[in-house]
Amino acid sequence: GEEKAEELAAKYSPEHIAEKIEFLEWKIETKSRGRPIADPASWLIRAIEKDYKPPATFRPKARREKEAEETARHAEEGARRGFTHHKIKARPWDAVDQVKAMTAAVGRDYGIRIDPNEWFETPATTVRIDSELRDYANVTCFEDPVPKKHPEWYGLLRRKCRVPMAIHTSDTALILDHVRRDGVDYVNVG
């Protein structure tokens, strides 16, 4: 372990190594989109040596924090103007940070609707995020957390999650399919 660390430090710049460490931390933090890293140390060595590139969805921690602060400023402006609810576009890697920042800025009475546009992708990711937001009763629903073509997933999510489920569609057949599977609390037809 120590010899390998010295070898990498001698061969690669501190910036290169720091970039790969942040990429690894992000993968662990976001649960690697459902695929856990079995051996983080070995993954990090390969990432440094083979110059793994993060996906387009990767956001460095400083950028994620800045984006959450910006969302909080939008919530503050909305609250000043008399709004009581805010719909955010969130992804698995930033939903929790956005909710925490907004709630810290405007309080727990300000409602937050999370619309990931299906980017939570799986029930497992949605349940994890719901669990991380268990102390935030101001989250009023997940709108389209997973692909709408899976109404059975929405039924499962309604049983597993505290946060209510919503779909955004004007397709009456799809709406009825979700209703039949007990998979929807709200429908946004606008």
Side-chain angles (χ1 to χ4, degrees), residues 29 55 62 83 93 100 105 124 134 138 143 148 177-178 181:
E29 180 182 324
F83 290 94
W93 54 87
K100 287 179 178 180
R134 70 185 160 280
N138 56 325
E143 181 178 308
K148 290 182 283 245
D177 202 12
H178 279 262
R181 294 170 188 260

Side-chain angles (χ1 to χ4, degrees), residues 9-189:
K11 190 172 181 181
Y12 299 96
S13 73
E15 293 81 13
H16 179 81
I17 294 170
E19 177 184 285
K20 302 314 174 197
I21 291 170
E22 184 167 26
F23 182 22
L24 172 62
E25 289 171 344
W26 176 79
K27 286 182 74 65
I28 291 169
E29 180 182 324
T30 62
K31 309 295 190 264
S32 196
R33 302 190 98 179
R35 295 177 296 278
I37 297 172
D39 183 357
S42 294
W43 186 95
L44 180 59
I45 291 167
R46 287 191 308 277
I48 292 167
E49 292 177 334
K50 296 182 180 190
D51 195 21
Y52 286 3
K53 299 294 183 199
T57 56
F58 171 74
R59 299 289 185 275
K61 188 171 184 73
R63 181 172 173 189
R64 293 192 318 269
E65 289 170 353
K66 182 178 178 186
E67 289 169 350
E69 289 168 7
E70 182 177 338
T71 302
R73 283 193 302 278
H74 291 175
E76 287 172 329
E77 176 67 20
R80 271 194 302 278
R81 292 174 179 247
F83 290 94
T84 60
H85 209 95
H86 199 112
K87 177 177 172 178
I88 61 171
K89 297 292 184 179
R91 303 296 180 249
W93 54 87
D94 68 1
V96 174
D97 290 340
Q98 286 191 59
V99 168
K100 287 179 178 180
M102 291 174 70
T103 303
V106 295
R108 293 184 177 274
D109 291 333
Y110 194 80
I112 302 169
R113 172 181 290 222
I114 299 175
D115 181 357
N117 285 1
E118 302 182 353
W119 270 79
F120 288 0
E121 293 184 338
T122 67
T125 298
T126 307
V127 169
R128 175 183 58 79
I129 292 168
D130 176 77
S131 176
E132 291 179 32
L133 293 171
R134 70 185 160 280
D135 295 331
Y136 293 87
N138 56 325
V139 175
T140 59
C141 80
F142 290 142
E143 181 178 308
D144 297 338
V146 296
K148 290 182 283 245
K149 68 182 179 183
H150 294 293
E152 69 281 7
W153 289 4
Y154 282 76
L156 172 69
L157 290 170
R158 285 195 69 228
R159 291 188 300 278
K160 299 280 186 185
C161 294
R162 177 199 59 81
V163 175
M165 297 297 135
I167 58 170
H168 188 165
T169 184
S170 58
D171 180 340
T172 48
L174 183 62
I175 294 168
L176 289 173
D177 202 12
H178 279 262
V179 169
R180 281 188 207 100
R181 294 170 188 260
D182 198 28
V184 65
D185 295 288
Y186 305 108
V187 176
N188 180 349
V189 293

